[in-house]
Amino acid sequence: MKRRTKKLLLNWRIILLTLFLVGSIATLALKPLTFGIDISGGVALVAQTEHPVDTKTMQLVVDSLQKRLNTLGLRDITVEAQGDQIVLIKVANVTSPEEAERIKNVIESQGVFYMEFSGVIFGTGNDVEYVGIYQIKPDNSWSVPFRISKSAAEKFAELAYGKKGWPVDMFLDPPVNSLMVVPESVYKAMNSSEFNAEAPEAPTLMERIAKAFNISVVAYANQSADEIAKLAQGKEKIVLVDVPQELQTQLEEMNLTVRYVPRAQGESDHALIVRVLGLYGPYSLGEGLTVGEPQQDVQITGSAPDRLTAEQEASTIYTVLKSGSLPVKLTVVGMEFISPRLGEGFRTQAVYAGIGALITVLLIVYFHYRNWKIAIPVASTSLFEAIIILGFAALIRWNLDLPSIAGIIAAIGTGVDQQIVITDELLGGEKTTKISRRSSVLKRMGRAFFVIFASAATTIAAMSFLLVYFVGTLKGFAFTTILGVLIGILITRPAYAEIAKYLLGED
Amino acid sequence: MSKSKPKARPAAGDAVRAKKQEKLSFLARMEYKKMIMYPLAVFVIALILLAVNFPTLGIDLRGGVVVTAYGVNANPDELGRYISDKIGMEVRVEKFTGVEASGVRVYAPIGTDPLKIIEVMKEKYPNAEYTHSEVQPTFGEIAQQQGIRALVFAFLAMAVVVFLFFRNLVPSLTIIFSALSDMTIAVALMGIFGIELTTATIAALLMLIGYTVDSNILLTTKLLRRKEDSVEKAYLSAVSTGFTMSTTTLGALLILWIISTSQTIDNIAIVLIFGLLADFMNTWILNAGVLEWYLARGGKA
């Protein structure tokens, strides 16, 4: 018996299990587990880009979001791109629903910023490298200094050469690639030199936005929805400005994307245009910038009737410049807020549920075999498996969220199943003689492991698609399931087979 | 392989196993035509049920707003009317209970401000713990597409692996069909019991692919590879192992379902329970029936 025990303990499978177990416990002691938002509390937001983007643009989105949230003084932020359209933002330590809502608003208010001159976009938010503190002079004129990238400065110098007084426009989220249907008076204003700063000879606002953003404008003269739809062919959307609202429903019925902008009470044509286009400016071009020399440090200036208005105008521009650095518009399409107190509840529950499930497994296995020599190793192997999975998760700082925990449960569930397959194969060889027993054990173990490998392979195959392909919260689930299955077939199951052979007198 | 020899093995366990196999032997005596017919009938019924009563989509797939309040004990209908009146939006309130905490979930259409609901509820239940989430329909659509994609790909991957392992058309197809039937029946039961289709339940359905294939692989391996025993003996030995496997898993899932108040975990547990119950039938009756028929015809189809 002693020799057998020694042989068991020196078996490489048992040694491997012990090593992993000790390693995991040590890891867990040194590096505590990190939990997902749904357990530790916090807010998780899913943002979607306006259209699919390439990896480079996606990286810019991630970087700028990270920067922006950091400047808000939030800690524990993760921003992660998934696929070509989804960004997952997680902020831990958010304690109230109100705070969660504020974070959402911050992300949504990030716009796409364009600097345009004479119908050419010479820079976007990414070209804004630095924004200085705005200044307000005693005569209520204001200025916001900022630095643009070298390439934008060069492009601008070339464009603006000799065009003193021409208008420079800045846009935050203009309705790119659209058809605008506007009242006659608005059409006239856009087609006049009203937005031309000090250069009536420059292209009109209508010409500039047509060239820069592919926005065409038509005056509303009782056209039918069909006529408008025809005009909008090839455009992404239709913007209806202060026209009868029935048109919206009619056009939407034709499966067109429509944005309806009503005129606010007492709103002037000018204010309406500025609002619909997301226009800041136009700012007139000072002489210094028209000599063809690229200048990176520029400023926007303006003047207001009183100090308060000046302050407001300057701070708006300041914020737009500072935050408008996303290469593409983002909308928050999903959010989830979990209060930290509640998360703690989930965590204790997960622990209770885990222990409860383990005891249940122990009892049911005992009930089936009426043998503690089987029940205890089965249940403890499952426990070891859980510990190793958790140790691994701690090691790579995997965020354990609820789906990850579900994955661990799944892995353990299949683990118990497979241990039962091994046990039954070991117990099943009644008709063997002593001589053929050894080879028979090998054969039966071979069969058991065939079943185990086949089912592990199916699970891994099924889950790996989820891991690489799927966007959203199921990644954790796939990850822990695969991890658990791998640990199972490589470490715990072979060790269990040895222990079972030893305990059932079959080695 | 002539005489049985007493071994250093607990006799009690053997007796229990023998008794269990005896109890289950009625399955082995079933006619294989019936073994194939009945589960197929159930599968068809499940399909019909799905056609008339497909599970509703959860807000993460459909879009919507949900506010969860823990530590609130209220009549859901009354509370629903109260909130609807106050915020001017139709809401639906659902009650849930767990071991430690119970509470309500308030479902509201997209566009509702969750903070408003919380504000209204805080007047009545200032000490409750509130969480909220909202999903836009556009994201729901993405999630739906991806859920379907994940299910299809996972299923195909499973099918390929099963083929590679068995390299035998009839047994492989049976395993694959039985996994399909498990999932179909699980979804049909979700419809009946009002469990929503969410990303969590999709995860559970994916998990079912792994879980249910286990027992089918076990059965097929035993019947096709265990040449030293009769088909009936091999079957009974597989059934007895399979029942032990499934009851332990079911037991663990039941505990999970009882203890947890997290909707994610609860739903995953219940869907797995549905699937495993369906799998009892599909593995030990349908799959076994097909295999018996297949073996009776000399292993060729």
Side-chain angles (χ1 to χ4, degrees):
Chain A
M1 198 65 186
K2 230 182 155 190
R3 197 181 56 83
R4 287 184 65 221
T5 314
K6 199 172 158 196
K7 206 176 133 203
L8 173 75
L9 290 178
L10 285 179
N11 189 298
W12 64 268
R13 298 174 185 88
I14 306 292
I15 294 174
L16 193 68
L17 173 69
T18 319
L19 282 178
F20 267 88
L21 204 54
V22 172
S24 296
I25 293 171
T27 312
L28 284 170
L30 292 172
K31 271 190 179 173
L33 284 168
T34 45
F35 290 96
I37 297 297
D38 51 1
I39 294 177
S40 66
V43 60
L45 297 126
V46 186
Q48 188 185 2
T49 58
E50 208 171 13
H51 48 79
V53 297
D54 57 19
T55 358
K56 225 174 121 192
T57 317
M58 197 48 130
Q59 196 51 48
L60 287 173
V61 172
V62 170
D63 290 346
S64 75
L65 268 181
Q66 185 92 45
K67 228 190 292 171
R68 175 88 176 119
L69 290 168
N70 278 330
T71 54
L72 277 180
L74 293 164
R75 281 173 302 120
D76 291 324
I77 308 157
T78 57
V79 183
E80 181 196 334
Q82 293 195 335
D84 56 2
Q85 245 188 313
I86 299 289
V87 187
L88 206 63
I89 303 127
K90 289 176 182 162
V91 188
N93 297 323
V94 176
T95 46
S96 73
E98 289 79 13
E99 199 183 337
E101 209 62 25
R102 264 203 300 280
I103 293 170
K104 178 190 162 194
N105 289 338
V106 165
I107 292 167
E108 289 222 301
S109 65
Q110 295 240 315
V112 189
F113 180 68
Y114 298 96
M115 295 178 274
E116 171 269 341
F117 182 83
S118 187
V120 179
I121 298 164
F122 64 90
T124 65
N126 290 313
D127 292 306
V128 179
E129 289 183 342
Y130 164 84
V131 186
I133 304 295
Y134 57 83
Q135 284 174 341
I136 294 162
K137 292 200 183 116
D139 64 346
N140 296 329
S141 71
W142 53 264
S143 63
V144 183
F146 64 104
R147 185 178 305 138
I148 57 175
S149 72
K150 204 163 171 248
S151 63
E154 278 165 2
K155 208 165 168 189
F156 183 66
E158 201 179 304
L159 286 169
Y161 183 70
K163 291 178 175 155
K164 181 177 179 294
W166 278 43
V168 182
D169 309 298
M170 310 214 168
F171 294 88
L172 188 66
D173 296 334
V176 175
N177 193 14
S178 65
L179 173 79
M180 279 175 65
V181 185
V182 299
E184 186 69 40
S185 60
V186 171
Y187 183 87
K188 274 190 182 140
M190 290 174 85
N191 205 18
S192 71
S193 58
E194 190 179 331
F195 289 90
N196 277 17
E198 287 143 35
E201 73 276 20
T204 62
L205 179 64
M206 200 181 285
E207 288 164 331
R208 300 199 300 265
I209 57 172
K211 198 172 159 209
F213 302 114
N214 192 21
I215 301 173
S216 13
V217 187
V218 292
Y220 179 64
N222 292 319
Q223 291 101 328
S224 70
D226 282 323
E227 284 167 318
I228 293 174
K230 210 177 247 170
L231 286 171
Q233 254 170 24
K235 302 276 187 186
E236 250 169 49
K237 59 179 167 246
I238 301 171
V239 184
L240 300 173
V241 183
D242 191 29
V243 293
Q245 204 171 355
E246 305 91 77
L247 282 172
Q248 184 187 9
T249 23
Q250 288 165 9
L251 286 165
E252 273 171 353
E253 273 164 18
M254 297 178 206
N255 266 330
L256 295 166
T257 315
V258 185
R259 184 177 141 211
Y260 184 78
V261 186
R263 191 190 287 263
Q265 205 158 16
E267 193 172 29
S268 69
D269 284 344
H270 189 103
L272 185 61
I273 292 166
V274 162
R275 182 160 67 92
V276 171
L277 289 177
L279 173 67
Y280 294 84
Y283 304 101
S284 123
L285 195 53
E287 197 171 4
L289 289 168
T290 60
V291 292
E293 283 290 309
Q295 284 193 34
Q296 283 183 265
D297 286 300
V298 291
Q299 58 175 13
I300 295 177
T301 52
S303 57
D306 55 74
R307 197 179 164 82
L308 192 68
T309 320
E311 185 104 28
Q312 272 172 1
E313 283 179 6
S315 92
T316 310
I317 291 300
Y318 174 80
T319 322
V320 165
L321 285 175
K322 192 118 183 147
S323 70
S325 47
L326 276 184
V328 60
K329 177 78 184 155
L330 276 182
T331 6
V332 172
V333 288
M335 78 173 291
E336 192 177 14
F337 166 71
I338 303 280
S339 81
R341 216 175 85 194
L342 202 67
E344 208 161 291
F346 283 156
R347 194 157 41 192
T348 40
Q349 268 176 33
V351 173
Y352 288 157
I355 295 171
L358 215 57
I359 294 172
T360 317
V361 166
L362 180 76
L363 293 178
I364 296 176
V365 173
Y366 174 73
F367 177 78
H368 274 287
Y369 296 100
R370 299 298 153 105
N371 189 346
W372 290 116
K373 271 184 169 179
I374 297 171
I376 291 172
V378 167
S380 31
T381 309
S382 295
L383 178 66
F384 297 158
E385 210 168 294
I387 292 172
I388 297 174
I389 298 175
L390 291 177
F392 206 86
L395 189 69
I396 63 162
R397 293 193 182 279
W398 183 267
N399 268 333
L400 274 185
D401 49 9
L402 287 173
S404 301
I405 289 176
I408 296 178
I409 295 161
I412 290 170
T414 46
V416 174
D417 283 4
Q418 296 177 353
Q419 288 164 36
I420 290 167
V421 173
I422 295 172
T423 314
D424 274 10
E425 284 290 347
L426 280 174
L427 290 174
E430 256 117 350
K431 285 188 296 298
T432 52
T433 62
K434 193 154 194 168
I435 303 139
S436 70
R437 214 166 76 193
R438 200 183 153 73
S439 69
S440 175
V441 168
L442 281 176
K443 204 165 133 199
R444 279 183 271 125
M445 277 299 98
R447 201 158 47 209
F449 274 91
F450 177 81
V451 173
I452 288 167
F453 283 132
S455 47
T458 48
T459 308
I460 291 174
M463 288 302 157
S464 40
F465 271 106
L466 202 56
L467 191 63
V468 288
Y469 231 121
F470 212 58
V471 165
T473 49
L474 292 185
K475 275 196 179 189
F477 168 69
F479 176 77
T480 45
T481 310
I482 293 176
L483 182 65
V485 170
L486 283 177
I487 290 171
I489 54 170
L490 297 177
I491 303 162
T492 47
R493 230 80 74 223
Y496 171 78
E498 293 306 313
I499 296 171
K501 271 195 257 177
Y502 169 80
L503 288 173
L504 299 172
E506 280 276 15
D507 58 342
Chain B
M1 306 221 166
S2 53
K3 270 196 310 186
S4 78
K5 219 165 186 272
K7 268 172 255 157
R9 178 191 299 149
D14 280 354
V16 173
R17 285 162 48 78
K19 218 166 121 197
K20 188 161 73 184
Q21 296 204 355
E22 198 191 357
K23 255 192 243 161
L24 296 168
S25 65
F26 75 95
L27 284 171
R29 283 194 294 271
M30 229 165 138
E31 213 186 317
Y32 57 71
K33 268 188 195 152
K34 280 187 187 160
M35 291 174 88
I36 298 172
M37 286 300 289
Y38 291 155
L40 282 182
V42 176
F43 176 70
V44 172
I45 293 171
L47 282 182
I48 295 170
L49 277 174
L50 281 182
V52 293
N53 185 27
F54 197 81
T56 39
L57 297 181
I59 69 147
D60 57 348
L61 296 183
R62 174 172 43 94
V65 173
V66 59
V67 171
T68 312
Y70 289 78
V72 170
N73 196 358
N75 178 320
D77 293 336
E78 271 174 32
L79 185 61
R81 271 196 299 277
Y82 173 77
I83 298 171
S84 300
D85 284 351
K86 285 263 183 171
I87 66 165
M89 282 276 211
E90 204 57 46
V91 302
R92 186 167 57 85
V93 178
E94 227 178 62
K95 220 177 142 156
F96 65 90
T97 47
V99 170
E100 278 181 31
S102 56
V104 290
R105 287 189 192 95
V106 182
Y107 296 89
I110 193 71
T112 317
D113 184 359
L115 291 184
K116 233 183 203 165
I117 298 175
I118 294 176
E119 201 179 297
V120 168
M121 288 186 74
K122 266 189 179 162
E123 285 168 24
K124 269 192 142 179
Y125 310 99
N127 294 323
E129 195 74 13
Y130 294 94
T131 71
H132 67 280
S133 59
E134 59 180 304
V135 176
Q136 299 294 322
T138 47
F139 184 61
E141 244 166 64
I142 295 179
Q144 263 182 56
Q145 281 167 8
Q146 294 207 319
I148 293 168
R149 211 161 58 175
L151 277 175
V152 170
F153 280 145
F155 194 84
L156 289 179
M158 177 276 288
V160 168
V161 173
V162 166
F163 263 115
L164 287 178
F165 265 90
F166 289 103
R167 292 163 202 266
N168 208 334
L169 196 67
V170 173
S172 308
L173 281 180
T174 318
I175 294 180
I176 293 159
F177 175 78
S178 140
L180 180 70
S181 174
D182 290 343
M183 283 159 69
T184 313
I185 294 170
V187 181
L189 286 174
M190 284 170 67
I192 293 173
F193 288 96
I195 291 158
E196 291 180 338
L197 207 59
T198 57
T199 43
T201 45
I202 288 178
L205 291 173
L206 285 165
M207 223 187 244
L208 270 184
I209 294 178
Y211 265 150
T212 60
V213 166
D214 269 15
S215 54
N216 284 294
I217 289 175
L218 170 78
L219 175 74
T220 310
T221 310
K222 286 225 171 182
L223 287 193
L224 295 188
R225 299 188 77 194
R226 189 173 180 138
K227 297 281 156 60
E228 69 259 34
D229 291 327
S230 69
V231 172
E232 188 181 322
K233 265 215 101 111
Y235 172 68
L236 280 178
S237 126
V239 169
S240 120
T241 306
F243 269 53
T244 317
M245 279 160 60
S246 300
T247 41
T248 34
T249 314
L250 279 174
L253 289 173
L254 211 58
I255 292 294
L256 204 61
W257 182 69
I258 293 168
I259 292 179
S260 141
T261 49
S262 141
Q263 203 183 11
T264 314
I265 301 277
D266 268 4
N267 284 351
I268 288 177
I270 198 79
V271 172
L272 285 178
I273 291 174
F274 289 158
L276 284 178
L277 290 176
D279 191 51
F280 267 101
M281 179 189 75
N282 282 323
T283 306
W284 309 116
I285 301 177
L286 173 74
N287 196 356
V290 173
L291 285 174
E292 271 179 41
W293 166 78
Y294 173 75
L295 288 171
R297 291 192 43 176
K300 287 181 205 86

mmCIF file of all heavy atoms in Angstrom, chain A residues 6 10-11 75 79 137 156 161 183 238 275 283 286 331 337 376 379 447:
data_model
loop_
_atom_site.group_PDB
_atom_site.id
_atom_site.type_symbol
_atom_site.label_atom_id
_atom_site.label_comp_id
_atom_site.label_asym_id
_atom_site.label_seq_id
_atom_site.Cartn_x
_atom_site.Cartn_y
_atom_site.Cartn_z
ATOM 1 N N LYS A 6 3.198 5.988 -2.720
ATOM 2 C CA LYS A 6 4.374 6.722 -3.156
ATOM 3 C C LYS A 6 4.365 6.861 -4.685
ATOM 4 O O LYS A 6 4.637 7.926 -5.231
ATOM 5 C CB LYS A 6 5.626 5.975 -2.692
ATOM 6 C CG LYS A 6 6.866 6.845 -2.687
ATOM 7 C CD LYS A 6 8.007 6.101 -2.044
ATOM 8 C CE LYS A 6 9.330 6.686 -2.487
ATOM 9 N NZ LYS A 6 10.430 5.779 -2.185
ATOM 10 N N LEU A 10 4.223 10.301 -6.838
ATOM 11 C CA LEU A 10 5.322 10.657 -7.734
ATOM 12 C C LEU A 10 4.897 10.644 -9.195
ATOM 13 O O LEU A 10 5.673 10.969 -10.082
ATOM 14 C CB LEU A 10 6.496 9.696 -7.530
ATOM 15 C CG LEU A 10 7.280 9.964 -6.233
ATOM 16 C CD1 LEU A 10 8.400 8.962 -6.079
ATOM 17 C CD2 LEU A 10 7.818 11.391 -6.196
ATOM 18 N N ASN A 11 3.650 10.293 -9.443
ATOM 19 C CA ASN A 11 3.146 10.310 -10.813
ATOM 20 C C ASN A 11 3.171 11.744 -11.349
ATOM 21 O O ASN A 11 2.752 12.678 -10.672
ATOM 22 C CB ASN A 11 1.707 9.784 -10.806
ATOM 23 C CG ASN A 11 1.193 9.570 -12.194
ATOM 24 O OD1 ASN A 11 1.094 10.516 -12.967
ATOM 25 N ND2 ASN A 11 0.894 8.327 -12.520
ATOM 26 N N ARG A 75 -11.134 57.501 -12.698
ATOM 27 C CA ARG A 75 -10.094 56.482 -12.650
ATOM 28 C C ARG A 75 -10.673 55.145 -13.073
ATOM 29 O O ARG A 75 -11.876 55.003 -13.252
ATOM 30 C CB ARG A 75 -9.529 56.379 -11.244
ATOM 31 C CG ARG A 75 -8.520 57.506 -10.945
ATOM 32 C CD ARG A 75 -8.097 57.485 -9.499
ATOM 33 N NE ARG A 75 -9.253 57.617 -8.619
ATOM 34 C CZ ARG A 75 -9.606 56.702 -7.722
ATOM 35 N NH1 ARG A 75 -8.915 55.609 -7.600
ATOM 36 N NH2 ARG A 75 -10.650 56.907 -6.945
ATOM 37 N N VAL A 79 -11.134 51.329 -22.131
ATOM 38 C CA VAL A 79 -11.792 51.576 -23.401
ATOM 39 C C VAL A 79 -11.277 50.523 -24.360
ATOM 40 O O VAL A 79 -10.074 50.338 -24.492
ATOM 41 C CB VAL A 79 -11.467 52.980 -23.945
ATOM 42 C CG1 VAL A 79 -12.230 53.243 -25.227
ATOM 43 C CG2 VAL A 79 -11.806 54.036 -22.908
ATOM 44 N N LYS A 137 -11.042 90.114 -23.184
ATOM 45 C CA LYS A 137 -10.478 91.453 -22.975
ATOM 46 C C LYS A 137 -11.564 92.375 -22.436
ATOM 47 O O LYS A 137 -12.745 92.086 -22.535
ATOM 48 C CB LYS A 137 -9.935 91.969 -24.312
ATOM 49 C CG LYS A 137 -8.716 91.156 -24.759
ATOM 50 C CD LYS A 137 -7.893 91.916 -25.781
ATOM 51 C CE LYS A 137 -6.745 91.046 -26.241
ATOM 52 N NZ LYS A 137 -6.850 90.729 -27.664
ATOM 53 N N PHE A 156 -3.535 74.700 -44.911
ATOM 54 C CA PHE A 156 -4.269 75.953 -44.739
ATOM 55 C C PHE A 156 -3.520 77.125 -45.362
ATOM 56 O O PHE A 156 -4.114 77.965 -46.041
ATOM 57 C CB PHE A 156 -4.512 76.207 -43.246
ATOM 58 C CG PHE A 156 -5.325 77.439 -42.993
ATOM 59 C CD1 PHE A 156 -6.649 77.491 -43.406
ATOM 60 C CD2 PHE A 156 -4.773 78.542 -42.353
ATOM 61 C CE1 PHE A 156 -7.405 78.628 -43.189
ATOM 62 C CE2 PHE A 156 -5.524 79.684 -42.143
ATOM 63 C CZ PHE A 156 -6.839 79.723 -42.557
ATOM 64 N N TYR A 161 -3.764 81.545 -49.069
ATOM 65 C CA TYR A 161 -2.810 82.511 -49.601
ATOM 66 C C TYR A 161 -3.522 83.667 -50.297
ATOM 67 O O TYR A 161 -4.273 83.477 -51.252
ATOM 68 C CB TYR A 161 -1.847 81.807 -50.567
ATOM 69 C CG TYR A 161 -0.772 82.714 -51.118
ATOM 70 C CD1 TYR A 161 0.250 83.181 -50.271
ATOM 71 C CD2 TYR A 161 -0.792 83.115 -52.443
ATOM 72 C CE1 TYR A 161 1.231 84.016 -50.749
ATOM 73 C CE2 TYR A 161 0.192 83.960 -52.941
ATOM 74 C CZ TYR A 161 1.201 84.419 -52.086
ATOM 75 O OH TYR A 161 2.161 85.262 -52.566
ATOM 76 N N PRO A 183 -36.798 76.232 -45.473
ATOM 77 C CA PRO A 183 -37.722 77.270 -45.943
ATOM 78 C C PRO A 183 -36.998 78.244 -46.877
ATOM 79 O O PRO A 183 -35.774 78.401 -46.799
ATOM 80 C CB PRO A 183 -38.148 77.980 -44.653
ATOM 81 C CG PRO A 183 -37.789 77.044 -43.555
ATOM 82 C CD PRO A 183 -36.636 76.245 -44.022
ATOM 83 N N ILE A 238 -31.793 62.725 -45.083
ATOM 84 C CA ILE A 238 -32.511 63.950 -45.427
ATOM 85 C C ILE A 238 -32.706 64.749 -44.146
ATOM 86 O O ILE A 238 -33.091 64.190 -43.115
ATOM 87 C CB ILE A 238 -33.884 63.608 -46.035
ATOM 88 C CG1 ILE A 238 -33.695 62.762 -47.289
ATOM 89 C CG2 ILE A 238 -34.669 64.870 -46.352
ATOM 90 C CD1 ILE A 238 -34.975 62.190 -47.848
ATOM 91 N N ARG A 275 -27.330 76.222 -36.046
ATOM 92 C CA ARG A 275 -27.634 75.059 -35.207
ATOM 93 C C ARG A 275 -27.695 73.776 -36.048
ATOM 94 O O ARG A 275 -27.133 72.745 -35.674
ATOM 95 C CB ARG A 275 -28.971 75.285 -34.494
ATOM 96 C CG ARG A 275 -29.374 74.164 -33.549
ATOM 97 C CD ARG A 275 -30.394 74.656 -32.544
ATOM 98 N NE ARG A 275 -31.658 74.977 -33.189
ATOM 99 C CZ ARG A 275 -32.675 74.112 -33.328
ATOM 100 N NH1 ARG A 275 -32.560 72.888 -32.877
ATOM 101 N NH2 ARG A 275 -33.793 74.470 -33.909
ATOM 102 N N TYR A 283 -15.284 82.655 -39.029
ATOM 103 C CA TYR A 283 -14.295 83.550 -38.474
ATOM 104 C C TYR A 283 -13.523 84.158 -39.613
ATOM 105 O O TYR A 283 -13.156 83.461 -40.563
ATOM 106 C CB TYR A 283 -13.374 82.789 -37.531
ATOM 107 C CG TYR A 283 -14.179 82.100 -36.461
ATOM 108 C CD1 TYR A 283 -14.451 80.755 -36.536
ATOM 109 C CD2 TYR A 283 -14.714 82.863 -35.423
ATOM 110 C CE1 TYR A 283 -15.230 80.149 -35.585
ATOM 111 C CE2 TYR A 283 -15.507 82.256 -34.454
ATOM 112 C CZ TYR A 283 -15.761 80.894 -34.543
ATOM 113 O OH TYR A 283 -16.550 80.304 -33.612
ATOM 114 N N GLY A 286 -7.433 86.649 -40.544
ATOM 115 C CA GLY A 286 -6.540 87.797 -40.357
ATOM 116 C C GLY A 286 -5.430 87.789 -41.391
ATOM 117 O O GLY A 286 -5.110 86.761 -41.982
ATOM 118 N N THR A 331 -22.248 57.183 -30.827
ATOM 119 C CA THR A 331 -23.476 57.234 -30.047
ATOM 120 C C THR A 331 -23.426 56.109 -29.031
ATOM 121 O O THR A 331 -22.973 55.015 -29.327
ATOM 122 C CB THR A 331 -24.738 56.979 -30.892
ATOM 123 O OG1 THR A 331 -24.338 56.625 -32.199
ATOM 124 C CG2 THR A 331 -25.643 58.155 -30.913
ATOM 125 N N PHE A 337 -25.572 50.226 -15.524
ATOM 126 C CA PHE A 337 -24.981 50.717 -14.291
ATOM 127 C C PHE A 337 -25.291 49.735 -13.167
ATOM 128 O O PHE A 337 -26.430 49.331 -12.991
ATOM 129 C CB PHE A 337 -25.538 52.105 -13.948
ATOM 130 C CG PHE A 337 -25.229 52.510 -12.541
ATOM 131 C CD1 PHE A 337 -23.928 52.843 -12.184
ATOM 132 C CD2 PHE A 337 -26.210 52.524 -11.566
ATOM 133 C CE1 PHE A 337 -23.626 53.181 -10.874
ATOM 134 C CE2 PHE A 337 -25.911 52.861 -10.258
ATOM 135 C CZ PHE A 337 -24.627 53.191 -9.914
ATOM 136 N N ILE A 376 -15.612 12.241 -2.834
ATOM 137 C CA ILE A 376 -14.691 13.280 -2.368
ATOM 138 C C ILE A 376 -13.662 13.660 -3.450
ATOM 139 O O ILE A 376 -13.482 14.842 -3.732
ATOM 140 C CB ILE A 376 -14.041 12.878 -1.026
ATOM 141 C CG1 ILE A 376 -15.121 12.910 0.064
ATOM 142 C CG2 ILE A 376 -12.898 13.828 -0.658
ATOM 143 C CD1 ILE A 376 -14.698 12.357 1.397
ATOM 144 N N ALA A 379 -15.499 15.798 -6.152
ATOM 145 C CA ALA A 379 -15.809 17.165 -5.731
ATOM 146 C C ALA A 379 -14.522 17.970 -5.553
ATOM 147 O O ALA A 379 -14.457 19.142 -5.944
ATOM 148 C CB ALA A 379 -16.624 17.150 -4.440
ATOM 149 N N ARG A 447 -10.841 4.707 -23.881
ATOM 150 C CA ARG A 447 -12.201 5.015 -24.300
ATOM 151 C C ARG A 447 -12.727 6.237 -23.556
ATOM 152 O O ARG A 447 -13.323 7.127 -24.138
ATOM 153 C CB ARG A 447 -13.088 3.805 -24.043
ATOM 154 C CG ARG A 447 -14.340 3.810 -24.849
ATOM 155 C CD ARG A 447 -14.894 2.409 -24.975
ATOM 156 N NE ARG A 447 -14.906 1.753 -23.670
ATOM 157 C CZ ARG A 447 -14.801 0.435 -23.513
ATOM 158 N NH1 ARG A 447 -14.672 -0.342 -24.552
ATOM 159 N NH2 ARG A 447 -14.840 -0.089 -22.323
#
